[in-house]
Amino acid sequence: MIKNQNKLRLCINSIIIIVSLIILTDFILPGKVFSDEIVMVKKEIQQHKTSSKYHYSYKIITSTHQFSVSEDFVSIVSVKDNIMYSVSSIFNEVNWYRLLTTEKKDVYSLRIMTGLIVPLFTIVLIVFANRFNYQIDTLIFLFQIFLIADLIYLLL
C-alpha cells in the first residue's frame, strides 16, 4: 500500500515538475518580438465585492494584441506611440514590453508571478522535500494547486 502511494506521489510530482518546466521555459525563452502602434490604453476599475476599496488595471491594445501593463508604464505612453513587446511561444503571453524610444524593458508583475515565481517555487519545494526528507506535503499540495490554477490561467 505504501509503495503504491509512493509511486503515485512520484508520478504526480514528476508531472507537476514537467508542467513547471514548460511554464518556466515559456517565460524564459525570448518569444516572438512585435513592434506595433498603441491603438488604445484601457483603464478599468477593479472593485472587490467584499470591500469598498478599489484599484485600476491598465491594458495596452495594439492592432494585434492586448495585454496588461503597470500604472507606471501607462503614465509615460499615449495612443499612437510605438511599442515593442515579446509574446511567448507556448502560451502567447506578453513577457516584456517597452517603448521604442527607451531601452528599459518592463514586465507585468502578474506575468512574473505566473511565469516565474509559482513554477520555480513549486520545483524547489518538491526537490527539497524529496532530497532532504522534509515533511512539507501540505505546502507542496498547496503549490501544486497554485500551479494547476496558473496553467489554467495561462491557457485561457
Side-chain angles (χ1 to χ4, degrees), residues 82-93:
N82 286 322
I83 188 172
M84 183 179 280
Y85 55 95
S86 171
V87 177
S88 67
S89 303
I90 301 170
F91 296 111
N92 293 322
E93 292 287 322

Side-chain angles (χ1 to χ4, degrees), residues 93-153:
E93 292 287 322
V94 173
N95 284 337
W96 57 263
Y97 48 88
R98 72 175 177 90
L99 280 173
L100 285 179
T101 57
T102 64
E103 290 297 317
K104 183 180 177 262
K105 295 177 182 177
D106 288 77
V107 180
Y108 189 56
S109 58
L110 183 61
R111 182 65 180 136
I112 292 172
M113 193 70 171
T114 61
L116 181 67
I117 294 174
V118 170
L120 190 61
F121 203 67
T122 303
I123 291 171
V124 167
L125 281 175
I126 291 171
V127 168
F128 273 97
N130 289 330
R131 176 80 171 108
F132 299 111
N133 248 354
Y134 291 148
Q135 298 300 316
I136 52 173
D137 294 338
T138 305
L139 188 60
I140 290 173
F141 178 70
L142 185 64
F143 268 86
Q144 288 173 338
I145 291 172
F146 287 160
L147 188 79
I148 291 168
D150 186 15
L151 182 62
I152 291 169
Y153 170 77

Side-chain angles (χ1 to χ4, degrees), residues 32-49:
K32 197 175 206 179
V33 177
F34 291 89
S35 180
D36 211 348
E37 184 178 276
I38 297 174
V39 174
M40 188 168 108
V41 178
K42 192 175 182 181
K43 177 180 178 180
E44 293 179 339
I45 191 165
Q46 303 287 318
Q47 189 167 5
H48 305 284
K49 294 185 192 268

Side-chain angles (χ1 to χ4, degrees), residues 39-101:
V39 174
M40 188 168 108
V41 178
K42 192 175 182 181
K43 177 180 178 180
E44 293 179 339
I45 191 165
Q46 303 287 318
Q47 189 167 5
H48 305 284
K49 294 185 192 268
T50 59
S51 169
S52 62
K53 295 180 182 178
Y54 64 90
H55 68 278
Y56 294 102
S57 65
Y58 301 92
K59 283 191 177 190
I60 297 285
I61 300 172
T62 67
S63 59
T64 54
H65 295 94
Q66 76 175 22
F67 51 93
S68 298
V69 294
S70 67
E71 184 177 1
D72 293 338
F73 187 74
V74 167
S75 67
I76 62 171
V77 299
S78 61
V79 175
K80 303 233 187 246
D81 281 349
N82 286 322
I83 188 172
M84 183 179 280
Y85 55 95
S86 171
V87 177
S88 67
S89 303
I90 301 170
F91 296 111
N92 293 322
E93 292 287 322
V94 173
N95 284 337
W96 57 263
Y97 48 88
R98 72 175 177 90
L99 280 173
L100 285 179
T101 57

